[in-house]
Amino acid sequence: RVLVPHLLVGQNFVLVQRPALVARVNMTTEGDAVEASVVSIQSELTPLLSSISNDGVRHLQEPKGFDKESPGGFLCFKNCKSSLSSKLSTLPGVAVPCILSIFSVILFLRIGYVVGMSGVGPSLGMLVLCYFVVLLTVLSLSAISTNGAIRGGGAYFMISRALGPEFGGSVGIIFYLANVFACSINTLGFVEALTTNLAEETGILAEILPNTSNWRYLYGTVALVFCLVICFVGASLFAMASLVIFVAVMVALISVIVSFAAKNSFLAIVTSSSECTNNTNSSIHTSDNDILFACHGGHCCANYTSWSISTLRNNLHSDYVEDYSTHVETSFIVIFSVLFNGVTGIMAGANMSGDLKNPSFSIPVGTLGACLFTFVIYAVIMLFTGLTCSRSLLHNNYNYMLYINVWHPFVTIGVLCATLSSALSTLIGASRVLQAVSQDNLFGFVLRPFSIMKGSKRDNPIYALLLSWIMVQAIIIIGELNTVAPYVAMFFLLSYSMVNLACFALCVASTPNYRPTFRFHSWHTALLGFMCSVAVMFFINPLAAGLAIGAGILLFVIVSVIGPATHWGEVSQGLIYHQVRKYLLRLDIRKRHVKLWRPQMLFLASNPRASYPMMDFINDMKKGGLYILGHVIIGSFEEANADLHEQFRTWLDFIDCTKLKAFVELTIAESVQMGARSLMMNSGLGGMKPNTIMLGFYDDSIPKDTHNAVKTALRRTNPLIRHCIDRNSDVKIEHVIDSFPALRDNAIDQIVMPLEYVGIIKLVCLSGCNSHAEERLCTSKFQFAGQIPIERWNH
């Protein structure tokens, strides 16, 4: 915590003087007194801060009423209390959406399927493995989210600001698709639960709803329209609706747990089975005398045994049979993929990062709390199911919870609420991710309309919501939950792997500004999380994993080609710095040998307008060696230093345009000769120092402008730019070339005089670039040019 000096407090606003730090300010009003507390002050150099303004001040989260143009050099936060009060806290903003997204359709409709096929022991082992992979990702997510201000977009924002726009843009679209497919699978789960309980002829509770494919699509459409209306209103109504649904789901869960303990043994109706027939009243018993199947009144029934150690013993081990709903043989991989879909909702809270009061606190606390709570509930339900339900009941009735409940509609309400809330959270999460990607303009005009915010506070991505809703509507035409499920897991796992990779890169880079307040992580956990996520992808479905990774690579290439230049402080630069420093220290100049010699050139350039052909020639000649462009700025240090940074940026833009593989060194000196000496002595680093000095001939001819040669070289060396952004590159070349001074138009305006030029040649000869020549030239016995000693060449 750092307090910013010079706070001016007024009625409902705070002025913070503009240093290199900026704070988020909370206001509390008591009568006429206003108390301002400065919280979460972040350094200007933190790469995860939301944005940077022209005056070099980064703003954390600009609330409504923010005035950066206030007089007197102050930042003005107006009506901070009302702005922050509209944000979401940890419970409604993170914990509840995560819990509801994790439970979703799996808790009520597929737990019996998992336990019946795999058994209690393997099912609990799968659950531990699933949560182990998820927990590693949550640790990485928590570390990144506590390292600076988090803007809207959640995981996309964290990955893009850490790994760069290419990774961020590709994973952002993948994560968006993951949320869209998750919304689809939950909508299909809602329709399945609705028709199972209320469909004509087959409804368990009532037989009132038509059950054709068109009607099922209509039910899904109605549910999606309900979600869309809530999302249109905004995050506040979403939070209220989530809390109401959360209460309903908790009531249903409590009723299920109580029913396991209170319900006595009975025969539950299941689907028809080959082990019994509809025209006989018979019972099939196990070796422990538990009823396996019973046929009474034309219905096939299985035994609910209530609490029984023998039932638990029978259910401990796996027994993979054909899935009665799809008629497909099951296996460990199939069951694991289904169960893993039930724990993929950990990003629901992070998706709402732009709507949270304090995302750096809420995301780790809320997500970890949701994971712990849901793990306990899943484990308890699995254990109770294995203790009370016969294997045949679990094999042939995935909706067994409804039959054993003390009041059947409780489970139906729970299933409908859980699936509807998951669809709601993934729909609003998808729109937030798409809006964040569009706002960064990574895909140009294609996604730009979806960055528009509407609503009373201009905080609702309406167009992104509409596109997400349309895509979900298209996907639910498939109508089969098990068909969509594998792709949901693939997209989420790919997002998880990128979160872990981002955390690993930040840890390994060891940049000074990576200081997360969440300490329970390391590069070991991040690397293990990345490896586990990728391994689980190929373990579940190699084909779907390959398609997901291929889509990610394609999006990576697209962003690399058409994406704009960004200044987000990518961690790749930190990793490069770390490695370069390590190997530069190992490059010992004392171990250099003639057979390992390579050209390391310093070119003393005057003006790129005229010297580009020479620069291009040296660039070809260096052959993998060092290439430094040196330039001398004439003048006093006090006068020229103000313009040094701008000139340096211009030179860097020039070598970017021309694709020269060179470094730039600028120096300020009273004369060209003194500047050249400074460049010769100080250029390079460690074992990478110039051994060859290049400079142009001295003559009286008027220099020629090589402006057109620069543009021609760019088109020749970079065909992608030529085809994709040729117009913009021309504009950039014009701007860069025009930034350099105009060439002289007569012979008398030369900056370097003949005597000074000879002095530079003397410095080159004495610079040590050629040790043999240095030994000869440093003695007054070696003379030439009319027997004049080298010491007197420029006298």
Side-chain angles (χ1 to χ4, degrees):
R1 304 297 186 195
V2 182
L3 291 180
V4 176
H6 309 301
L7 292 177
L8 299 182
V9 181
Q11 179 120 15
N12 291 328
F13 71 90
V14 175
L15 295 178
V16 184
Q17 197 169 7
R18 297 179 189 260
L21 299 175
V22 66
R24 185 174 69 253
V25 182
N26 289 337
M27 304 284 297
T28 58
T29 305
E30 297 179 3
D32 295 331
V34 178
E35 178 185 355
S37 59
V38 183
V39 295
S40 302
I41 298 179
Q42 302 290 341
S43 169
E44 180 191 359
L45 299 179
T46 302
L48 293 180
L49 294 178
S50 59
S51 59
I52 182 167
S53 63
N54 293 330
D55 57 2
V57 179
R58 294 178 183 262
H59 309 293
L60 293 181
Q61 293 176 347
E62 298 182 359
K64 185 179 180 181
F66 175 77
D67 182 12
K68 64 182 179 181
E69 301 298 335
S70 55
F74 289 92
L75 298 176
C76 181
F77 293 79
K78 299 179 180 178
N79 301 321
C80 295
K81 180 181 179 182
S82 61
S83 175
L84 291 177
S85 63
S86 64
K87 298 288 186 176
L88 303 178
S89 59
T90 303
L91 181 62
V94 178
V96 170
C98 283
I99 291 172
L100 294 177
S101 295
I102 291 173
F103 281 159
S104 65
V105 70
I106 303 299
L107 178 64
F108 292 103
L109 296 182
R110 291 296 183 268
I111 287 296
Y113 168 73
V114 172
V115 175
M117 300 296 179
S118 297
V120 176
S123 296
L124 291 174
M126 289 182 191
L127 185 68
V128 171
L129 179 60
C130 291
Y131 270 91
F132 177 72
V133 176
V134 166
L135 180 62
L136 293 174
T137 303
V138 172
L139 296 180
S140 299
L141 179 71
S142 301
I144 299 175
S145 65
T146 58
N147 188 51
I150 302 298
R151 205 174 62 187
Y156 157 73
F157 182 82
M158 301 175 196
I159 295 172
S160 62
R161 269 50 177 184
L163 299 182
E166 293 83 7
F167 278 102
S170 57
V171 174
I173 297 298
I174 292 293
F175 191 48
Y176 168 73
L177 293 175
N179 280 278
V180 168
F181 273 85
C183 184
S184 305
I185 195 174
N186 284 291
T187 304
L188 292 174
F190 174 86
V191 174
E192 179 180 318
L194 191 68
T195 54
T196 300
N197 290 277
L198 301 175
E200 292 178 345
E201 298 181 359
T202 60
I204 298 173
L205 296 180
E207 299 179 355
I208 56 177
L209 296 179
N211 193 24
T212 63
S213 59
N214 291 335
W215 279 100
R216 287 195 295 270
Y217 185 76
L218 178 62
Y219 303 149
T221 301
V222 172
L224 285 174
V225 169
F226 173 78
C227 296
L228 183 65
V229 171
I230 292 179
C231 294
F232 271 162
V233 176
S236 58
L237 183 60
F238 164 77
M240 293 173 58
S242 296
L243 285 174
V244 173
I245 294 174
F246 177 75
V247 172
V249 172
M250 290 302 103
V251 170
L253 272 177
I254 293 172
S255 72
V256 169
I257 295 173
V258 170
S259 299
F260 277 123
K263 199 79 171 179
N264 295 322
S265 61
F266 69 98
L267 295 177
I269 298 175
V270 299
T271 59
S272 59
S273 172
S274 60
E275 297 188 49
C276 68
T277 61
N278 290 334
N279 54 7
T280 62
N281 292 334
S282 61
S283 297
I284 304 174
H285 294 262
T286 66
S287 58
D288 297 313
N289 205 34
D290 288 331
I291 297 176
L292 181 65
F293 268 101
C295 302
H296 296 286
H299 294 288
C300 188
C301 304
N303 195 23
Y304 173 80
T305 66
S306 187
W307 297 89
S308 172
I309 297 299
S310 62
T311 302
L312 178 62
R313 190 182 302 115
N314 293 333
N315 289 331
L316 275 179
H317 305 291
S318 60
D319 182 18
Y320 298 110
V321 297
E322 182 182 277
D323 182 354
Y324 77 85
S325 64
T326 61
H327 305 290
V328 175
E329 289 294 329
T330 57
S331 64
F332 178 87
I333 296 176
V334 173
I335 304 302
F336 180 80
S337 63
V338 171
L339 182 60
F340 196 87
N341 277 296
V343 298
T344 55
I346 60 172
M347 295 292 190
N351 290 342
M352 302 297 296
S353 57
D355 300 296
L356 300 175
K357 286 182 181 178
N358 188 358
S360 295
F361 171 81
S362 297
I363 290 176
V365 173
T367 308
L368 286 171
C371 288
L372 178 61
F373 178 78
T374 53
F375 175 80
V376 172
I377 295 297
Y378 270 129
V380 169
I381 296 296
M382 285 181 175
L383 183 60
F384 285 7
T385 298
L387 273 167
T388 59
C389 300
S390 66
R391 180 81 73 170
S392 296
L393 174 61
L394 300 178
H395 277 170
N396 295 275
N397 191 344
Y398 301 154
N399 205 22
Y400 72 102
M401 289 185 187
L402 184 143
Y403 290 97
I404 69 172
N405 202 275
V406 291
W407 188 55
H408 295 344
F410 267 143
V411 174
T412 302
I413 293 172
V415 173
L416 296 178
C417 288
T419 53
L420 190 63
S421 66
S422 297
L424 178 62
S425 63
T426 49
L427 181 62
I428 195 172
S431 66
R432 262 52 177 179
V433 172
L434 180 61
Q435 184 268 334
V437 175
S438 305
Q439 201 170 47
D440 288 332
N441 199 30
L442 298 183
F443 292 89
F445 69 92
V446 178
L447 296 182
R448 193 171 298 141
F450 305 109
S451 64
I452 299 174
M453 307 288 279
K454 297 289 186 179
S456 58
K457 300 177 182 178
R458 301 192 68 82
D459 60 351
N460 206 2
I462 299 297
Y463 298 132
L465 269 171
L466 285 173
L467 177 64
S468 304
W469 180 80
I470 292 172
M471 291 185 65
V472 176
Q473 282 288 142
I475 294 172
I476 65 173
I477 295 177
I478 298 173
E480 180 55 53
L481 188 148
N482 291 338
T483 305
V484 180
Y487 298 97
V488 177
M490 291 304 105
F491 289 142
F492 274 114
L493 281 168
L494 186 58
S495 303
Y496 295 170
S497 64
M498 289 297 103
V499 171
N500 286 298
L501 181 61
C503 183
F504 171 76
L506 289 169
C507 292
V508 171
S510 301
T511 53
N513 66 338
Y514 182 63
R515 301 185 300 274
T517 57
F518 184 83
R519 300 297 182 185
F520 302 101
H521 79 290
S522 67
W523 68 267
H524 305 86
T525 60
L527 179 60
L528 183 60
F530 172 76
M531 295 172 63
C532 288
S533 299
V534 175
V536 170
M537 285 179 64
F538 284 94
F539 180 74
I540 292 177
N541 192 326
L543 178 60
L547 291 175
I549 293 176
I553 294 174
L554 177 62
L555 292 169
F556 183 94
V557 173
I558 292 174
V559 177
S560 300
V561 173
I562 70 174
T566 59
H567 302 282
W568 295 342
E570 293 90 346
V571 73
S572 59
Q573 294 299 308
L575 292 171
I576 292 171
Y577 175 88
H578 180 79
Q579 294 300 312
V580 167
R581 173 186 169 275
K582 180 173 72 174
Y583 288 110
L584 271 178
L585 290 173
R586 296 177 61 181
L587 186 61
D588 194 344
I589 195 171
R590 295 166 297 182
K591 296 180 180 180
R592 63 184 181 184
H593 193 274
V594 64
K595 67 182 180 182
L596 303 177
W597 184 92
R598 66 181 64 208
Q600 299 184 158
M601 299 182 176
L602 169 64
F603 177 44
L604 302 177
S606 175
N607 192 328
R609 284 178 176 270
S611 55
Y612 171 73
M614 185 67 171
M615 293 178 181
D616 190 44
F617 170 71
I618 299 173
N619 187 61
D620 294 335
M621 193 170 61
K622 70 179 188 305
K623 192 59 178 179
L626 178 68
Y627 184 14
I628 299 175
L629 293 175
H631 176 69
V632 180
I633 301 174
I634 305 299
S636 64
F637 183 81
E638 291 78 8
E639 297 175 354
N641 187 53
D643 193 44
L644 178 64
H645 180 71
E646 186 63 29
Q647 288 203 39
F648 186 71
R649 292 294 299 269
T650 301
W651 277 85
L652 292 179
D653 289 340
F654 173 76
I655 63 174
D656 285 342
C657 285
T658 55
K659 304 301 176 184
L660 296 175
K661 297 179 180 179
F663 298 95
V664 175
E665 289 284 354
L666 303 184
T667 188
I668 300 173
E670 298 290 345
S671 65
V672 175
Q673 183 177 353
M674 297 300 293
R677 183 174 68 178
S678 176
L679 290 171
M680 294 175 196
M681 294 178 62
N682 300 322
S683 296
L685 182 65
M688 300 187 68
K689 304 282 285 186
N691 58 20
T692 305
I693 311 297
M694 312 287 289
L695 65 161
F697 290 109
Y698 186 88
D699 55 37
D700 295 333
S701 61
I702 305 300
K704 297 180 179 180
D705 199 322
T706 57
H707 184 174
N708 292 328
V710 176
K711 293 201 297 183
T712 302
L714 176 62
R715 293 190 178 92
R716 185 185 69 245
T717 58
N718 200 332
L720 286 178
I721 290 183
R722 181 184 66 207
H723 291 299
C724 298
I725 52 174
D726 196 37
R727 296 178 183 176
N728 294 335
S729 64
D730 277 354
V731 173
K732 186 176 180 182
I733 294 170
E734 294 283 356
H735 173 71
V736 171
I737 295 297
D738 291 343
S739 299
F740 292 106
L743 298 175
R744 59 185 174 88
D745 54 4
N746 56 69
I748 63 175
D749 291 337
Q750 294 194 75
I751 299 177
V752 181
M753 295 295 102
L755 194 62
E756 194 171 19
Y757 183 81
V758 175
I760 294 174
I761 296 177
K762 173 187 172 182
L763 292 174
V764 172
C765 295
L766 300 177
S767 64
C769 292
N770 188 310
S771 58
H772 181 64
E774 179 185 8
E775 294 175 0
R776 300 179 64 194
L777 292 174
C778 285
T779 62
S780 57
K781 294 181 182 180
F782 185 78
Q783 300 177 3
F784 64 90
Q787 303 297 314
I788 300 176
I790 190 172
E791 292 88 349
R792 296 176 56 196
W793 277 13
N794 59 335
H795 290 280

